Amino acid sequence: MMTKTPIRMIDLIGNTPLIDLARISAEVPGVRLAAKGEFFNPSGSVKDRAARAMILGGIESGELSKGTTIIDATSGSTGISYAMIGAALAFPVKLYLPANASAGRKEIIKNYGAEIVETSPLEGSDGAYTAAREEARAHPELYFYPDQYNNPANPKAHYDTTGVEIWDQSGGMVTHFITGMGTSGTLMGVSKRLKHFNPEIRIKAVQPNSPFHGIEGTKHMDSTIKPGIYDESAADGVITVTTEAAYEMTRRLAREEGIFAGVSSGANVAAALSYAKTLPEGALVVTILCDQGTRYLSEHFWESAK
Amino acid sequence: MSVTFHIPTALRAFTDGKREVTAEGSTVGEALSNFAASYPDIRPHLYEDGGELRSFINVFLGDTNVKNLDGLSTPLRGGEVITLVPAIAGGAS
């Protein structure tokens, strides 16, 4: 049955549930782990929030208008969000991805009708970033370049929505927040909002333990181009995680919590669990389940049944 | 047999910034091991504590993933190019 006013796809972004990780929390008696189920967003990831904010910002400022192509660099999830929103709002989308971005992600982007330009897998995300920026600068008349790494609308989306939701859904009980960084938008926005509600809330950033890693969508800040929106002081410290631990927790989420999420979600929960082990009873640690596992089905780590 | 490794940006901090490094070996695994021995700081980034290659690393001989050949036992003739690529890309979203 139709509601009185049918809803637009982009209005379904946000208001994701805060999910109790009951079985994994059981390893740390007295401490609770909970995670925002960002795979409930319409294109399946947390990136819908920032992509919507940046695109609507472009429309409002006049930089994005009929006939303009949205162009940006991504390892996949923001690209999927741009492609979904671009399709819904009738804007062409052109995306620069490292050639080793997962095959599933590239297929989804193509099926939304967006164009993909693959960049060298040796250069990782920085190679895609540099190529997208060069193309956008060479033909400014053709493109709207949201530049997710440097656009304040990215962290602001999380300040305005994700941070408020975590506070409300935890009944103001959240004591710790921890998440990984790609553009760092989620961490910057949520951190600022939660500290505004309660300055005692501790914030930790999750980082791969090596610059050479397989945690898709996550940046090793010290060895890569730092996003303009990134402010190291927004976090009260860093928890590192190995690719192997991220893979293992991704499998555990599926098998123990019924949550079929992606690798960066596994990294976040693995780091949250190791952090939780250092915390006093009564702590409520919140993290982010960034995206779905279905877009990684082509990856071999699912085959490892430990 | 001498082969050339193309070094990803993420690992160049451990190869004195070099984009290409040569190493000797009669198989892909042996050349990789000799390469890691030349730059000892790189070893923990490539191998597990038990000495196995970390599971997320794909090794390409020319354009072919060695998983589709004989893995690390794939023989070398000399002059080939070997590239190390994480199974999935880090970083951009």
Side-chain angles (χ1 to χ4, degrees), chain A residues 30-106:
Chain A
V31 176
R32 278 172 60 207
L33 297 180
K36 287 288 277 177
E38 291 298 305
F39 43 77
F40 281 102
N41 281 305
S43 93
S45 92
V46 64
K47 297 300 181 178
D48 282 356
R49 296 177 187 261
R52 176 179 64 179
M54 292 187 288
I55 288 173
L56 293 184
I59 294 170
E60 200 174 321
S61 71
E63 288 176 80
L64 177 58
S65 55
K66 192 171 164 32
T68 309
T69 295
I70 298 166
I71 186 171
D72 213 342
T74 165
S75 70
S77 279
T78 306
I80 292 172
S81 298
Y82 286 144
M84 182 271 287
I85 298 169
L89 300 182
F91 293 110
V93 176
K94 183 173 183 174
L95 302 165
Y96 287 69
L97 278 79
N100 56 327
S102 69
R105 288 179 163 205
K106 287 188 257 187

Side-chain angles (χ1 to χ4, degrees), chain A residues 179-295:
Chain A
T179 194
M181 296 178 290
T183 66
S184 77
T186 308
L187 185 77
M188 294 302 119
V190 171
S191 159
K192 194 172 171 192
R193 177 60 92 171
L194 289 180
K195 294 261 187 187
H196 168 79
F197 284 129
N198 177 0
E200 298 302 311
I201 295 172
R202 296 294 96 185
I203 310 288
K204 293 280 184 184
V206 180
Q207 280 224 54
N209 74 325
S210 162
F212 196 59
H213 65 89
I215 307 171
E216 188 151 359
T218 302
K219 217 166 160 56
H220 184 264
M221 284 294 175
D222 289 341
S223 63
T224 52
I225 300 171
K226 282 195 178 58
I229 59 172
Y230 175 56
D231 171 9
E232 199 172 340
S233 70
D236 301 303
V238 173
I239 306 271
T240 59
V241 62
T242 65
T243 300
E244 289 81 2
Y247 284 1
E248 175 58 21
M249 185 56 83
T250 305
R251 290 188 292 262
R252 281 188 66 186
L253 281 169
R255 289 164 195 180
E256 296 179 29
E257 300 283 359
I259 295 171
F260 198 67
V263 182
S264 52
S265 307
N268 279 349
V269 176
L273 180 60
S274 76
Y275 184 36
K277 288 175 179 170
T278 69
L279 299 178
E281 281 194 17
L284 171 56
V285 184
V286 172
T287 189
I288 302 283
L289 299 168
C290 314
D291 68 356
Q292 299 162 345
T294 46
R295 52 185 66 167

